[in-house]
Amino acid sequence: MGKSRIAVPIGDPAGVGPEIVAKTVASKEVFDMAECVIIGDKTIMENAIKITDTNLTIHVINEPEEGDYRQGVLNLIDLANVDMANFEFGRVNGMCGKAAYAYIAKSIELANARKVDAVATTPINKESLRAGEINFIGHTEIFGALTDTEDPLTMFETNGMRVFFLTRHVSLREMLDMITKDRIKDYVKRCLEALRKLGVSEGTMAIAGLNPHSGEHGLFGWEEVNEITPAVEELQAEGYNVVGPIGADSVFHQAAIGKYNSVLSLYHDQGHIATKTLDFEKTIAITNGMPILRTSVDHGTAFDIAGKGIVSAVSMIEAVLLAAKYAPNFTKKP
């Protein structure tokens, strides 16, 4: 089987994205698993190669099939959209926000056209997007809009532990109103279908509890009694392999040792804390429920160290490796 071809937009040029891209392309582990198509700006990537002291040669291409995929070659689709006279590392800049969006849009275009097998994204800055008049809050919203996906699913994978999120960027007060039987049933069905597309069809999904000890039958809250348990019972009656609610203080450990193939976290930090405590650098976001596969680092632009060559590329390398791991199943025709 040939290597998976992965599009990699370089992210916000003023952040660490270009540096982790250079280090990732230079990685022997990535070279053995994937063909990387980098979308960015040539001058920015030339600087990143110097800063990181990676022995890479840039090969400018227009289409992925023009790439020279030998080790030591960085195949770049150059959008030439950064004016170095107005560029500074570590600063919010509308020009950089626009550039980052353009790199993502081009990557999605390639994936939609099946010219690449997946996209592995690097950090962008929300303030720079806003300064560049890009009306999206982040990657997930951009991918949803450009793939015509109403509600993409976020999954984290860390050392084989997979965590989905019923709710994401809302307050805890709003989250409580979103814990409904119908929403849980809908998400479980979609999550299990997403796992199937990734090639994961065996095993059981666990639903995390919300309240301490999963509410103790109403002693510490009624969400488990009124919404979560009925959702699980109805799903089981319909033939879905799901259990819960399982106390959040134990369910993630149980998934990490292989008892469950995935966990549905009920709110943002519940799942983030579990995955990042297990392995911060190798916590990778996978956006499911779209017609294309996208993985991503789960760290920011790190403006404070941008341009210094000291950023770790472990997360970016892992994002590309996971994209290459799941792409063959994802792109396989049913």
Side-chain angles (χ1 to χ4, degrees):
M1 189 188 306
K3 299 177 185 178
S4 296
R5 188 167 288 173
I6 312 299
V8 183
I10 68 169
D12 191 305
V16 296
E19 295 168 60
I20 61 174
V21 167
K23 290 182 177 183
T24 298
V25 173
S27 162
K28 177 67 162 55
E29 193 177 9
V30 167
F31 171 76
D32 288 341
M33 290 289 294
E35 295 178 348
C36 293
V37 179
I38 310 306
I39 298 91
D41 178 276
K42 184 180 180 184
T43 303
I44 291 293
M45 284 313 303
E46 286 174 339
N47 284 345
I49 290 169
K50 290 177 185 175
I51 290 166
T52 56
D53 194 26
T54 45
N55 187 24
L56 295 172
T57 300
I58 292 178
H59 176 55
V60 175
I61 59 177
N62 293 311
E63 298 289 344
E65 57 265 29
E66 298 171 7
D68 177 356
Y69 296 105
R70 292 175 297 168
Q71 191 162 19
V73 179
L74 187 149
N75 293 282
L76 175 70
I77 295 179
D78 179 20
L79 299 192
N81 55 1
V82 177
D83 177 4
M84 297 306 292
N86 296 315
F87 174 80
E88 184 179 358
F89 283 116
R91 293 285 183 269
V92 171
N93 186 329
M95 173 187 68
C96 291
K98 285 182 179 179
Y101 174 78
Y103 307 146
I104 298 165
K106 181 64 176 179
S107 301
I108 294 171
E109 176 190 319
L110 295 173
N112 280 333
R114 300 292 184 260
K115 294 181 179 181
V116 297
D117 299 311
V119 179
T121 59
T122 51
I124 57 177
N125 184 279
K126 293 177 175 61
E127 290 183 67
S128 293
L129 287 178
R130 189 182 305 116
E133 299 181 341
I134 302 298
N135 295 317
F136 293 102
I137 195 171
H139 276 112
T140 302
E141 292 76 16
I142 294 171
F143 272 81
L146 298 186
T147 62
D148 197 24
T149 304
E150 184 174 343
D151 185 15
L153 294 168
T154 296
M155 183 185 92
F156 277 11
E157 180 161 335
T158 311
N159 295 333
M161 180 175 76
R162 305 178 189 92
V163 178
F164 289 93
F165 296 85
L166 183 70
T167 65
R168 296 193 297 272
H169 295 145
V170 297
S171 71
L172 288 175
R173 175 58 265 169
E174 290 176 275
M175 175 272 295
L176 292 172
D177 294 333
M178 297 170 72
I179 305 298
T180 66
K181 183 184 73 171
D182 289 343
R183 184 179 180 86
I184 292 167
K185 288 184 65 178
D186 174 63
Y187 262 69
V188 167
K189 292 176 182 179
R190 292 171 59 209
C191 291
L192 292 175
E193 172 60 19
L195 287 174
R196 187 196 64 76
K197 285 199 72 174
L198 295 177
V200 181
S201 56
E202 300 297 322
T204 301
M205 167 178 272
I207 311 300
L210 175 68
N211 294 296
H213 306 288
S214 294
E216 291 277 20
H217 306 289
L219 287 175
F220 310 133
W222 288 96
E223 287 84 1
E224 282 82 1
V225 173
N226 294 336
E227 304 294 341
I228 303 171
T229 298
V232 172
E233 290 175 346
E234 290 185 17
L235 286 163
Q236 290 172 338
E238 293 174 30
Y240 291 96
N241 201 357
V242 58
V243 296
I246 309 295
D249 59 351
S250 59
V251 69
F252 297 103
H253 168 70
Q254 292 170 354
I257 63 174
K259 185 172 182 179
Y260 307 117
N261 69 10
S262 58
V263 178
L264 180 61
S265 168
L266 299 183
Y267 59 95
H268 182 279
D269 283 11
Q270 185 183 55
H272 278 241
I273 291 169
T275 54
K276 292 181 180 181
T277 300
L278 181 63
D279 193 327
F280 190 90
E281 285 198 294
K282 289 191 175 182
T283 293
I284 303 304
I286 302 175
T287 308
N288 291 289
M290 302 188 299
I292 65 176
L293 175 64
R294 175 241 173 176
T295 65
S296 180
V297 298
D298 193 52
H299 63 74
T301 47
F303 276 172
D304 57 324
I305 61 170
K308 298 179 180 178
I310 61 176
V311 65
S312 169
V314 168
S315 188
M316 188 71 233
I317 290 170
E318 188 72 8
V320 173
L321 293 177
L322 274 184
K325 167 188 170 182
Y326 283 130
N329 280 303
F330 191 90
T331 58
K332 184 168 58 178
K333 292 180 180 177

